[in-house]
């Protein structure tokens, strides 16, 4: 059984735990896309020039959320990861396993997040235009710039969070994993 097969099997077994993780990542991505959509929206740009700094604030808040949920998943799975070390996997293999599992979940969440983010963008755009008294007409608006910025932000936030987890896994010993699991209980 390859590391990829083991990773896929574990992701399926941990589906319930990963559901919280997955939903959090989807919502974070959707919010990033929605606010990026506002920044690149022609109608909204005409109303306010101050909106351009909003995605940075959103990215910082959601970056913290993604880092937190990634640490949560590491803590939740610490006993399992410690067991892998006990049966002979190397630290780098366990770190790669955790990284690949979360990367796969994040890729699917990114796609769904952009779709949900487009719906959120439509709602936020309607609210913003209503606040300024501008007539709103429902129209399909898909911004490649917003998708690009969202992809950049999600990759940056996600890879930083996973990189920290990867470094943490490489430094931890079997005892640390078991202790982390006890703290989680």
């Amino acid at each position: 059984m390859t590391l990829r097969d083991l990773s896929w099997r574990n992701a399926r077994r941990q589906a319930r735990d990963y559901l919280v993780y997955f939903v959090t990542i989807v919502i974070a991505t959707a919010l990033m896309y929605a606010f990026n959509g506002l920044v690149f929206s022609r109608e909204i740009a005409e109303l306010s020039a101050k909106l351009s700094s909003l995605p940075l604030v959103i990215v910082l808040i959601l970056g913290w959320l993604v880092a937190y949920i990634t640490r949560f998943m590491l803590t939740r799975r610490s006993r399992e990861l410690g067991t892998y070390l006990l049966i002979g996997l190397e630290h780098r293999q366990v770190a790669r396993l955790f990284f690949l599992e979360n990367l796969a979940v994040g890729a699917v969440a990114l796609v769904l997040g952009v779709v949900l983010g487009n719906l959120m963008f439509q709602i936020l755009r309607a609210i913003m235009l209503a606040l300024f008294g501008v007539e709103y007409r429902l129209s399909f608006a898909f911004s490649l710039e917003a998708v690009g910025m969202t992809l950049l932000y999600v990759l940056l936030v996600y890879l930083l969070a996973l990189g920290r987890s990867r470094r943490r896994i490489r430094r931890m010993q079997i005892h640390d994993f078991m202790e982390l699991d006890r703290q989680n209980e």
Side-chain angles (χ1 to χ4, degrees), residues 27 85 102 131 173:
I27 291 171
L85 289 175
N102 287 287
L131 284 174
Q173 300 302 316

Side-chain angles (χ1 to χ4, degrees), residues 29 32-33 36 40 55-56 59 110 114 144-160:
T29 302
M32 283 186 205
Y33 177 84
N36 283 330
F40 290 108
L56 182 60
V59 166
L110 177 66
V114 168
L144 288 178
E145 294 93 355
V147 170
M149 287 301 289
T150 302
L151 180 63
L152 177 69
Y153 290 154
V154 168
L155 282 176
L156 180 68
V157 164
Y158 208 69
L159 291 177
L160 284 173

Side-chain angles (χ1 to χ4, degrees), residues 2-98:
T2 66
L3 195 57
R4 187 180 333 172
D5 295 335
L6 184 61
S7 177
W8 178 246
R9 191 183 83 188
N10 288 337
R12 283 194 322 251
R13 264 193 311 168
Q14 301 281 338
R16 190 176 49 143
D17 291 336
Y18 268 107
L19 184 62
V20 172
Y21 181 73
F22 180 73
V23 168
T24 303
I25 300 299
V26 167
I27 291 171
T29 302
L31 286 170
M32 283 186 205
Y33 177 84
F35 284 104
N36 283 330
L38 287 176
V39 168
F40 290 108
S41 172
R42 206 177 58 245
E43 302 134 338
I44 303 298
E46 292 171 0
L47 297 175
S48 175
K50 295 178 183 179
L51 198 60
S52 63
S53 64
L54 186 61
L56 182 60
V57 173
I58 299 299
V59 166
L60 291 175
I61 293 169
L62 294 177
W64 173 83
L65 178 64
V66 169
Y68 175 80
I69 196 76
T70 303
R71 273 192 316 272
F72 170 77
M73 285 307 297
L74 177 61
T75 302
R76 188 91 166 137
R77 298 195 49 219
S78 61
R79 178 173 287 186
E80 175 189 348
L81 299 175
T83 304
Y84 291 149
L85 289 175
L86 191 61
I87 63 172
L89 287 178
E90 296 177 16
H91 279 84
R92 64 179 176 78
Q93 290 174 310
V94 174
R96 186 181 309 139
L97 175 83
F98 186 76

